[in-house]
Amino acid sequence: MTMTDKQTESFDPVEMSSQQFELAACYISELRSGLINFLKQPKRITILNFPVEMDNGSVQSFQGYRVLHNTVFGPGKGGIRFHPELTMEEVVSLAKLMTWKCALVNIPFGGAKGGVICDTKLLSESEQRRITRRFTSELADNIGPNIDIPAPDMYTNEQTMAWIFDTYDVLHPGKNNRPVVTGKPVEMGGSFGRQEATGNGVYHLTERFLAKALIPSQQTVSGARVAIQGFGNVGAVTASAFFRQGAVIIAVSDSQGGIYRQAGFDPAEIVSFKAEHGTVVGMPDTMTITNEDLLQLECDILIPAASSNQIHQNNAYKINAKVVVEAANSPVTPAADSILCERGIYVLPDIIVNAGGVTVSYFEWVQNHSNQQWDLSKVNKQLQKTMHNVMDLVFSRWQSFVIGESTVAENIEITNAEVQKPGFRSIALSIAIERVAKATLIRGIWP
Ligand code: NAD
């Protein structure tokens, strides 16, 4: 593929996750074909249409989804997203990612995801509360402490989780319902460190990757020039974690645009500006840039922490980072993955990079079931250990293919770029798929 290729890339999430699955399957020595089809399909898709009374007295209809992909390791686990462009296909592919993520960090959950098509920027807080409550009540027993456990995602937060808990609790009185949802406020059964877990996890995974010395000039986070797309929960916490360890945050952005400062920012300054103005754009002593400019900046570490398909076939040639760290879910398309691989730019995939969120969600769930509250240092220590372990696991399998100890499955065509150097995504995915496949067979296919 060359820079002049103009064919349009499909952003169909189901097709893209299927391509990633096929590629990963090359790194698995044995996988039964019937099992492949089972692992690719969601177990259950729930589509809900429901009415909500708006502040002005009108009634608006909303559509919401909850997809349960796989429950071989345990109940479903995955965020709830509020977004005007949400599709059922996207929710399906995000639910699959959750299955692989949970398997990689060895937590007893399957994959799930959900969301409602709505634009929170156009909704009052009470409208958001009514949408959340009605959606939760319509989900009925499709969620539950041992069935499927939601968490926050884009444009939902700990307040949304508190409303979900409260609604579920009202409908299921007399039980310990706290574990029905994670990412709750600490005052209401949330875990210390959950809100920062995804961003802190992004940092721990990156520090471990850099220590592997694949980038000889950048073996620690200190001094690294970092650009971050998206300054929401994940982006802002990631920026602070990197800044604390001596990284130079040269650019950040949100949906309205980005800001750049050659000498770097203190993320705390951006947090207060955004709290006051609703956007990072316009902060004094910064250069305003577009989100596209941000992605193409010359930097050591590029962290997409916003939405999917941001790095694609038509801009992957312009990425100027040494490593792309996928804090968001699916920000790099399969075509871009292959281009970045050809160009020698490492991509650390979402299924390991942002797994800190579900890891601490699991800690919260454990605390809720046992009516305990762990202190912050215990949560953070366990999080760091998990992120380091998963990086080590993926790195050692990746290395075994690079040095030729392991070889790809026979009779399988894979892209030129991957033949030369396997990507961390395919390797991570192959470990996850193998674990879920093995557990499925150990359990035995019922009946
Ligand atoms: P958030 O709603 O708190 O923040 C999203 C940020 O992205 C906002 O700053 C928004 O302005 C910005 N944004 C949205 N569209 C954009 C665009 N097109 N270009 C640039 N910026 C844009 O969401 P979050 O919880 O920080 O989630 C961010 C990403 O991380 C999502 O992909 C989510 O699925 C993933 N993720 C989140 C968690 C978590 O614990 N919150 C866990 C795992 C993965």
Side-chain angles (χ1 to χ4, degrees):
M1 201 183 295
T2 70
M3 278 179 84
T4 52
D5 281 343
K6 282 283 179 227
Q7 74 261 38
T8 333
E9 182 181 5
S10 162
F11 284 166
D12 176 346
V14 173
E15 199 181 304
M16 289 194 288
S17 69
S18 189
Q19 283 172 33
Q20 289 167 345
F21 190 105
E22 303 288 339
L23 208 47
C26 305
Y27 299 96
I28 303 174
S29 50
E30 255 182 68
L31 194 56
R32 288 204 209 161
S33 59
L35 206 50
I36 295 181
N37 293 336
F38 165 69
L39 295 176
K40 275 182 171 177
Q41 298 297 332
K43 186 177 174 69
R44 179 173 75 209
I45 298 177
T46 308
I47 304 177
L48 299 162
N49 291 295
F50 54 93
V52 172
E53 191 173 343
M54 310 307 282
D55 288 348
N56 64 6
S58 68
V59 174
Q60 208 172 307
S61 179
F62 291 88
Q63 187 163 78
Y65 311 101
R66 187 71 189 172
V67 174
L68 187 61
H69 172 245
N70 187 288
T71 54
V72 166
F73 279 125
K77 187 85 195 78
I80 289 197
R81 174 179 287 206
F82 285 176
H83 200 278
E85 282 148 32
L86 187 74
T87 63
M88 196 257 286
E89 289 74 18
E90 187 178 16
V91 180
V92 170
S93 78
L94 290 167
K96 281 186 211 173
L97 285 186
M98 288 306 297
T99 299
W100 313 135
K101 224 174 268 184
C102 294
L104 275 161
V105 289
N106 259 331
I107 54 180
F109 290 138
K113 201 81 180 186
V116 176
I117 304 175
C118 65
D119 189 345
T120 53
K121 290 177 185 155
L122 306 177
L123 296 164
S124 70
E125 197 189 14
S126 57
E127 286 169 336
Q128 290 182 45
R129 191 185 68 239
R130 289 196 291 277
I131 291 171
T132 306
R133 284 196 186 284
R134 182 68 194 238
F135 179 54
T136 307
S137 71
E138 297 271 346
L139 280 170
D141 288 332
N142 284 315
I143 59 168
N146 294 302
I147 294 170
D148 180 2
I149 305 128
D153 195 77
M154 284 185 86
Y155 298 106
T156 58
N157 53 31
E158 54 179 35
Q159 177 60 74
T160 327
M161 299 306 114
W163 292 329
I164 295 178
F165 161 73
D166 185 67
T167 309
Y168 186 88
D169 195 52
V170 167
L171 298 173
H172 299 81
K175 296 178 189 156
N176 172 16
N177 289 315
R178 287 188 170 194
V180 70
V181 68
T182 59
K184 299 179 291 295
V186 172
E187 299 83 349
M188 195 47 264
S191 175
F192 288 117
R194 170 60 185 90
Q195 201 245 320
E196 306 84 17
T198 307
N200 284 340
V202 174
Y203 164 72
H204 290 310
L205 191 109
T206 312
E207 74 170 343
R208 195 65 162 193
F209 167 75
L210 293 177
K212 308 286 178 198
L214 288 180
I215 305 170
S217 59
Q218 196 68 61
Q219 296 187 34
T220 64
V221 163
S222 177
R225 294 179 68 76
V226 180
I228 303 176
Q229 185 198 38
F231 201 73
N233 174 13
V234 178
V237 175
T238 300
S240 301
F242 275 76
F243 177 75
R244 280 197 302 274
Q245 300 302 324
V248 186
I249 312 298
I250 57 167
V252 302
S253 68
D254 58 31
S255 57
Q256 297 183 46
I259 49 173
Y260 171 82
R261 189 190 281 162
Q262 166 80 15
F265 308 102
D266 176 343
E269 190 192 351
I270 315 175
V271 169
S272 11
F273 184 86
K274 184 161 167 121
E276 196 180 331
H277 298 88
T279 174
V280 300
V281 180
M283 199 171 99
D285 304 322
T286 64
M287 184 195 291
T288 301
I289 57 174
T290 63
N291 266 294
E292 200 53 48
D293 295 335
L294 180 141
L295 295 173
Q296 296 170 22
L297 283 174
E298 192 174 336
C299 61
D300 298 305
I301 304 172
L302 173 62
I303 308 182
S307 54
S308 56
N309 307 328
Q310 297 300 303
I311 303 177
H312 44 76
Q313 176 179 279
N314 293 330
N315 66 3
Y317 288 104
K318 301 173 189 161
I319 302 301
N320 260 311
K322 297 187 178 103
V323 54
V324 176
V325 178
E326 287 190 325
N329 283 314
S330 317
V332 177
T333 66
D337 240 346
S338 159
I339 295 165
L340 294 172
C341 186
E342 263 175 55
R343 295 184 57 217
I345 298 173
Y346 296 104
V347 177
L348 301 182
D350 46 11
I351 48 174
I352 55 173
V353 172
N354 64 33
V358 74
T359 300
V360 177
S361 271
Y362 167 61
F363 298 160
E364 181 174 330
W365 185 78
V366 170
Q367 291 169 69
N368 290 162
H369 271 296
S370 54
N371 287 310
Q372 286 182 21
Q373 182 91 66
W374 299 359
D375 59 34
L376 181 61
S377 64
K378 176 171 176 175
V379 171
N380 283 342
K381 217 165 136 191
Q382 301 263 27
L383 170 67
Q384 180 180 26
K385 191 171 158 201
T386 304
M387 300 312 289
H388 284 185
N389 285 349
V390 76
M391 188 67 246
D392 290 351
L393 172 77
V394 172
F395 184 80
S396 81
R397 180 135 167 184
W398 177 87
Q399 216 175 21
S400 77
F401 280 97
V402 170
I403 61 178
E405 257 174 31
S406 308
T407 49
V408 294
E410 281 175 15
N411 302 326
I412 285 177
E413 279 182 36
I414 55 178
T415 67
N416 286 338
E418 282 253 346
V419 170
Q420 286 154 19
K421 200 187 276 179
F424 287 108
R425 185 188 320 280
S426 299
I427 297 295
L429 208 44
S430 71
I431 297 169
I433 294 168
E434 208 169 57
R435 282 185 172 175
V436 181
K438 202 168 167 189
T440 308
L441 294 176
I442 291 172
R443 283 177 65 140
I445 310 284
W446 196 85

